[in-house]
Amino acid sequence: MAIGVRAMHLTIVPHVLAVAAAIMVLVWCISFRGGLAWDSSDKSLIFNTHPVLMLIGFILLSGEAIMCYKSLPLSKEVKKLIHLVVHAIALILGIVGVYAAFKYHNESNIANLYSLHSWLGIGVIVIYGLQWIYGFLVFFYPGGSGGLRSESLPWHVLVGMFVYILAVATAAIGFLEKLTFLEVSGVDKYGAEAYLVNFTAIVTILYGAFVVLTCFTQAHQADHDYSYSAI
């Protein structure tokens, strides 16, 4: 089932939202939270790398990897390679982003894995990693039989959509959790920073929604691959 919109046209909206989300999270972490660092006596700077890597490196890049399969006017094999590589980069940056959160907690003597956000985050990374490995083995190298690929594709798409939606939801919970901590420590509930964080979360959710919507659009006519038709 496909809606009467070309993927290449619709993806203009999420591309704009992606740029907006990236700028907003950078402004928050650099201008409001003091900057980014991997090693610092100010441990909050270490934490700041977490939302930047998870949003820009994981949420936005994985969304682009999903959309490229429907929107780029390229051959199936080229799109498959781009899809694979961008997802790999997103996964690596996501793992580094999760490690940054653990590093901040450990160096600040804060307990790990006590919140819903952290539980969901670990689950997302694990499922995402398994999904990438399975996709690599079945669809890229060494590659499964035609029957296996045909049977696996609907599940690959379904699991991919599930884990991506869960990732966006986890990010939204993360923004809420961090802002709540900041407000308890004195940040104005109606101040500029609070509004910036909330709007960043809203833009992230909208971006995720348009990424999912792209899966229901019509693929580029130059390479209409019926094995990857709209859901």
Side-chain angles (χ1 to χ4, degrees):
M1 179 183 71
I3 61 176
V5 179
R6 295 290 179 190
M8 197 170 186
H9 298 156
L10 182 67
T11 52
I12 294 173
V13 177
H15 290 332
V16 172
L17 290 171
V19 173
I23 293 173
M24 292 167 79
V25 75
L26 287 172
V27 169
W28 175 41
C29 291
I30 296 174
S31 297
F32 285 91
R33 293 288 98 203
L36 309 172
W38 194 250
D39 288 297
S40 175
S41 57
D42 184 353
K43 303 306 177 184
S44 65
L45 301 185
I46 298 175
F47 173 82
N48 291 345
T49 61
H50 174 69
V52 170
L53 287 175
M54 297 312 293
L55 180 55
I56 298 177
F58 191 63
I59 300 293
L60 300 185
L61 278 185
S62 58
E64 294 298 324
I66 292 170
M67 292 188 292
C68 80
Y69 228 128
K70 296 301 293 288
S71 63
L72 293 181
L74 302 172
S75 69
K76 174 185 174 182
E77 292 305 316
V78 172
K79 289 191 292 187
K80 182 192 295 186
L81 181 60
I82 294 173
H83 182 77
L84 178 78
V85 171
V86 176
H87 268 311
I89 295 171
L91 177 60
I92 292 169
L93 293 178
I95 292 172
V96 175
V98 169
Y99 177 75
F102 276 95
K103 188 176 192 302
Y104 163 71
H105 279 211
N106 293 337
E107 294 184 12
S108 303
N109 296 316
I110 300 174
N112 289 306
L113 300 175
Y114 63 86
S115 67
L116 177 63
H117 172 68
S118 61
W119 294 358
L120 291 177
I122 293 298
V124 164
I125 290 294
V126 170
I127 298 172
Y128 195 101
L130 294 175
Q131 166 87 340
W132 189 89
I133 292 170
Y134 185 81
F136 179 87
L137 294 175
V138 173
F139 299 108
F140 193 76
Y141 184 83
S145 64
L148 177 61
R149 291 198 304 271
S150 178
E151 292 177 1
S152 297
L153 185 59
W155 289 104
H156 181 69
V157 174
L158 183 62
V159 174
M161 287 296 97
F162 167 75
V163 72
Y164 186 72
I165 292 170
L166 186 59
V168 173
T170 302
I173 294 173
F175 282 120
L176 173 62
E177 181 181 288
K178 182 61 177 178
L179 182 57
T180 300
F181 290 154
L182 292 174
E183 289 175 345
V184 169
S185 65
V187 169
D188 186 358
K189 291 181 174 61
Y190 298 99
E193 183 174 5
Y195 281 116
L196 176 60
V197 174
N198 282 331
F199 276 113
T200 303
I202 291 172
V203 170
T204 301
I205 293 169
L206 289 174
Y207 174 79
F210 274 96
V211 169
V212 173
L213 185 60
T214 300
C215 294
F216 294 87
T217 58
Q218 300 172 17
H220 193 272
Q221 285 184 329
D223 180 32
H224 196 121
D225 175 20
Y226 289 96
S227 67
Y228 197 78
S229 58
I231 297 174

Short mmCIF file of all heavy atoms in Angstrom, two decimals, residues 81 85 92 128 141 154-155 159 177 222:
data_model
loop_
_atom_site.label_atom_id
_atom_site.label_comp_id
_atom_site.label_asym_id
_atom_site.label_seq_id
_atom_site.Cartn_x
_atom_site.Cartn_y
_atom_site.Cartn_z
N LEU A 81 23.84 -0.49 -0.52
CA LEU A 81 25.13 -0.21 0.10
C LEU A 81 25.06 1.03 0.99
O LEU A 81 25.60 1.03 2.11
CB LEU A 81 26.19 -0.02 -0.99
CG LEU A 81 27.62 0.25 -0.49
CD1 LEU A 81 28.11 -0.92 0.36
CD2 LEU A 81 28.56 0.49 -1.68
N VAL A 85 25.78 1.06 5.00
CA VAL A 85 26.89 1.83 5.56
C VAL A 85 26.39 2.90 6.53
O VAL A 85 26.95 3.08 7.63
CB VAL A 85 27.72 2.47 4.43
CG1 VAL A 85 28.74 3.46 5.00
CG2 VAL A 85 28.42 1.39 3.62
N ILE A 92 27.43 2.63 15.30
CA ILE A 92 28.70 2.91 15.98
C ILE A 92 28.59 4.18 16.83
O ILE A 92 28.99 4.20 18.01
CB ILE A 92 29.84 3.06 14.95
CG1 ILE A 92 30.13 1.71 14.29
CG2 ILE A 92 31.11 3.59 15.62
CD1 ILE A 92 31.05 1.78 13.09
N TYR A 128 18.91 -3.13 17.38
CA TYR A 128 19.43 -2.46 16.19
C TYR A 128 20.67 -3.20 15.67
O TYR A 128 20.82 -3.44 14.46
CB TYR A 128 19.78 -1.02 16.55
CG TYR A 128 20.00 -0.09 15.38
CD1 TYR A 128 19.01 0.80 14.98
CD2 TYR A 128 21.22 -0.06 14.70
CE1 TYR A 128 19.22 1.68 13.93
CE2 TYR A 128 21.44 0.82 13.65
CZ TYR A 128 20.43 1.69 13.27
OH TYR A 128 20.64 2.55 12.23
N TYR A 141 26.22 -9.88 2.41
CA TYR A 141 27.28 -10.89 2.29
C TYR A 141 27.23 -11.86 3.46
O TYR A 141 27.13 -11.40 4.60
CB TYR A 141 28.66 -10.22 2.23
CG TYR A 141 29.78 -11.20 2.01
CD1 TYR A 141 30.11 -11.65 0.72
CD2 TYR A 141 30.50 -11.70 3.10
CE1 TYR A 141 31.13 -12.56 0.54
CE2 TYR A 141 31.52 -12.62 2.92
CZ TYR A 141 31.83 -13.04 1.64
OH TYR A 141 32.83 -13.96 1.44
N PRO A 154 9.98 -8.71 4.61
CA PRO A 154 8.90 -8.06 5.38
C PRO A 154 9.24 -7.94 6.86
O PRO A 154 8.93 -6.92 7.49
CB PRO A 154 7.70 -8.98 5.14
CG PRO A 154 8.01 -9.70 3.88
CD PRO A 154 9.49 -9.89 3.88
N TRP A 155 9.88 -8.98 7.41
CA TRP A 155 10.26 -8.94 8.82
C TRP A 155 11.39 -7.95 9.06
O TRP A 155 11.44 -7.28 10.10
CB TRP A 155 10.67 -10.34 9.28
CG TRP A 155 9.51 -11.27 9.38
CD1 TRP A 155 9.18 -12.28 8.52
CD2 TRP A 155 8.51 -11.27 10.40
NE1 TRP A 155 8.03 -12.90 8.93
CE2 TRP A 155 7.59 -12.31 10.09
CE3 TRP A 155 8.28 -10.50 11.53
CZ2 TRP A 155 6.48 -12.59 10.88
CZ3 TRP A 155 7.18 -10.77 12.33
CH2 TRP A 155 6.29 -11.81 12.00
N VAL A 159 10.71 -5.09 11.72
CA VAL A 159 11.58 -4.95 12.90
C VAL A 159 12.33 -3.62 12.85
O VAL A 159 12.50 -2.94 13.86
CB VAL A 159 12.57 -6.12 13.00
CG1 VAL A 159 13.57 -5.89 14.14
CG2 VAL A 159 11.82 -7.42 13.24
N GLU A 177 13.45 13.30 30.81
CA GLU A 177 14.17 12.94 32.03
C GLU A 177 15.24 13.97 32.38
O GLU A 177 15.34 14.43 33.52
CB GLU A 177 14.81 11.56 31.85
CG GLU A 177 15.58 11.06 33.06
CD GLU A 177 16.21 9.71 32.79
OE1 GLU A 177 15.48 8.71 32.73
OE2 GLU A 177 17.45 9.65 32.62
N ALA A 222 12.71 5.82 -11.34
CA ALA A 222 13.90 5.36 -12.08
C ALA A 222 14.32 3.96 -11.66
O ALA A 222 14.99 3.26 -12.38
CB ALA A 222 15.06 6.33 -11.85
#
